Amino acid sequence: MEFLIFWIGLSIVVWVLADKRERSGAGWFILSLFISPVLAIVILLAIGDSDGSAKCPACAEKVKAEAKICKHCGSELKGIQSLKGKPKSEKESLFCDLYDKAILAGSEKLTPGMSRTHAKIKKGESVPDVVLDTAIQELA
């Protein structure tokens, strides 16, 4: 009987630990009842926190990585979002703006090289400044 109470107690610890790591507490509780709660704790510690969250720089609370405003303190969240798909420098940003305007205007200035450069920036790959300078001059 004591063993059963101990087993359920450890399973509750698994529930709390899973909730703190932004995982399904109830799901981990049920899993730990069937497998060993100690094994469930080891697995939780090994897999780490759930992806898709970041810490607010103002209040240090966890928020979704895509969030623009912290739900806890209301501060604006700049810089915690992933840089993939977003220009990393002012030159890349200027090129993307000019490229997008040229696309909308149906400009004949666009070249296949510019399309590849734009795709590289959107994928988060680096583009040499020389290539960006040349493309910006051609589009401006």
Side-chain angles (χ1 to χ4, degrees):
M1 183 65 165
E2 293 87 20
F3 181 74
L4 183 63
I5 293 171
F6 181 72
W7 192 273
I8 292 172
L10 278 179
S11 294
I12 291 171
V13 171
V14 169
W15 184 326
V16 172
L17 184 62
D19 272 343
K20 285 186 179 182
R21 294 180 173 269
E22 296 183 5
R23 304 216 178 255
S24 171
W28 279 93
F29 173 76
I30 292 169
L31 179 67
S32 69
L33 288 175
F34 291 106
I35 66 170
S36 167
V38 175
L39 181 60
I41 290 173
V42 170
I43 293 170
L44 269 173
L45 293 175
I47 60 176
D49 289 347
S50 175
D51 293 335
S53 66
K55 281 190 177 181
C56 171
C59 68
E61 291 288 338
K62 285 193 175 185
V63 293
K64 290 184 178 180
E66 300 86 21
K68 295 181 181 174
I69 296 175
C70 177
K71 68 180 182 179
H72 303 284
C73 68
S75 67
E76 191 172 342
L77 302 172
K78 291 184 179 178
I80 67 167
Q81 291 88 3
S82 171
L83 288 176
K84 189 171 183 178
K86 297 178 185 166
K88 294 180 231 171
S89 69
E90 288 183 33
K91 283 185 182 181
E92 287 181 357
S93 185
L94 176 61
F95 169 75
C96 286
D97 289 343
L98 290 171
Y99 181 85
D100 292 340
K101 288 177 185 175
I103 289 272
L104 291 173
S107 176
E108 295 179 9
K109 295 179 182 179
L110 295 173
T111 65
M114 290 180 193
S115 297
R116 286 191 296 273
T117 301
H118 189 261
K120 280 185 176 184
I121 292 171
K122 292 299 178 185
K123 288 180 186 175
E125 298 175 11
S126 62
V127 177
D129 282 344
V130 175
V131 173
L132 289 171
D133 290 337
T134 305
I136 289 170
Q137 287 176 356
E138 290 176 14
L139 288 172

